[in-house]
């Protein structure tokens, strides 16, 4: 089944304790992206990757790191989490279009609900 | 600053009603506008629009883009309780990077 998976689905942690949220897709998509979703603010893009070893900042990259060492995986790293990073996180992927842009449809993972105390 | 604004914020209708959801945008180097439906889980894709005036249709849902006036509408006819969800509008822009800007969504509730 074509899908984007994220782990963990739920995480409660404390300020300053490094964590990684994994994202994996089995559709051979070039484009992958991380979003956070907060009430009243909608989905905001954190980082994205156009291909292996190619990453770029979205609108809210502060406090986050990513890496793209393999095409299928795009982990999100919080080196020193803070309470303002409490949020619902989504990973998404899509094909790269013919023009080199992201393709039509982004497939979203199930989400990771993170609470930082 | 790039922005996408959706209206109304929320809407309550009865089954069988027709609804129109709005999305206006100001985004650098517009490339495409996408509509998603989000129930209590991940967003699912509905439409992508790139050209003005061309309606995209899928069953009871349809959408159209006006690139001159910088907005799109999503219409749902003969609404059903299963249409209850948050509808998200996203715009792909390109100012040196491939970014997606999402609106805050319209929460639709359809009563039986």
């Amino acid at each position: 089944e074509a899908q984007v998976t994220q782990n963990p689905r739920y995480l409660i942690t404390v300020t300053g304790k490094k964590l990684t949220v994994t994202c994996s897709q089995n559709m051979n998509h070039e484009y992958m992206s991380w979003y956070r979703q907060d009430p009243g603010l909608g989905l905001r893009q954190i980082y994205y990757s156009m291909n292996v070893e190619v990453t770029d900042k979205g609108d809210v990259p502060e406090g986050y790191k990513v890496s793209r060492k393999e095409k299928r995986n795009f982990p999100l790293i919080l080196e020193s989490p803070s309470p303002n990073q409490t949020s619902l996180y989504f990973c998404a992927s899509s094909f790269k279009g013919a023009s080199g842009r992201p393709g039509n449809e982004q497939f979203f993972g199930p989400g990771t609900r993170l609470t930082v105390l | 600053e790039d922005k996408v604004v959706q209206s109304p914020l929320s809407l309550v209708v009865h089954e069988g009603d027709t609804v129109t959801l709005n999305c206006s945008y100001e985004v650098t180097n517009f490339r495409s506008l996408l509509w998603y439906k989000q129930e209590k889980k991940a967003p699912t894709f509905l439409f992508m629009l790139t050209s003005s005036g061309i309606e995209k249709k899928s069953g009871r849902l349809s959408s159209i883009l006006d690139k001159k006036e910088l907005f799109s509408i999503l219409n749902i006819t003969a609404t059903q309780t299963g249409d209850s969800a948050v509808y998200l509008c996203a715009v792909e822009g390109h100012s040196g990077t491939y970014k997606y800007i999402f609106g805050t969504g319209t929460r639709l509730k359809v009563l039986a």
Side-chain angles (χ1 to χ4, degrees), chain A residues 9-68:
Chain A
R9 295 288 312 281
Y10 302 90
L11 179 61
I12 300 174
T13 189
V14 296
T15 298
K17 187 176 180 182
K18 182 179 177 179
L19 66 93
T20 298
V21 184
T22 64
C23 172
S24 183
Q25 50 92 6
N26 62 1
M27 296 168 279
N28 204 34
H29 287 165
E30 295 89 0
Y31 184 87
M32 297 185 75
S33 184
W34 276 103
Y35 298 89
R36 60 179 288 174
Q37 187 172 37
D38 302 290
L41 296 175
L43 278 157
R44 292 180 293 167
Q45 195 169 28
I46 303 171
Y47 269 96
Y48 66 91
S49 168
M50 291 295 287
N51 216 326
V52 174
E53 302 291 3
V54 181
T55 63
D56 212 337
K57 296 176 181 178
D59 276 337
V60 288
E62 295 79 17
Y64 304 93
K65 284 174 56 177
V66 292
S67 69
R68 188 90 181 275

Side-chain angles (χ1 to χ4, degrees), chain B residues 16-87:
Chain B
D17 288 349
T18 294
V19 298
T20 298
L21 309 183
N22 303 292
C23 175
S24 64
Y25 63 90
E26 292 177 29
V27 175
T28 307
N29 293 328
F30 172 91
R31 295 299 185 102
S32 64
L33 186 146
L34 301 96
W35 285 97
Y36 289 86
K37 178 182 181 181
Q38 185 176 25
E39 297 169 272
K40 291 185 187 295
K41 49 190 178 179
T44 53
F45 174 78
L46 294 174
F47 299 112
M48 186 179 92
L49 304 128
T50 56
S51 301
S52 253
I54 299 176
E55 185 182 47
K56 291 281 183 89
K57 201 168 169 61
S58 176
R60 297 176 294 103
L61 278 68
S62 64
S63 183
I64 197 158
L65 173 67
D66 186 328
K67 288 171 76 172
K68 183 179 176 187
E69 299 298 329
L70 308 182
F71 78 91
S72 173
I73 59 172
L74 175 68
N75 275 321
I76 309 175
T77 59
T79 52
Q80 302 171 354
T81 55
D83 295 326
S84 296
V86 175
Y87 290 84

Side-chain angles (χ1 to χ4, degrees), chain A residues 37 45 48 59 101 104 109, chain B residues 38 92 97-100:
Chain A
Q37 187 172 37
Q45 195 169 28
Y48 66 91
D59 276 337
R101 297 164 37 213
N104 284 11
Chain B
Q38 185 176 25
E92 179 199 354
T97 60
Y98 293 105
K99 290 167 57 173
Y100 285 92

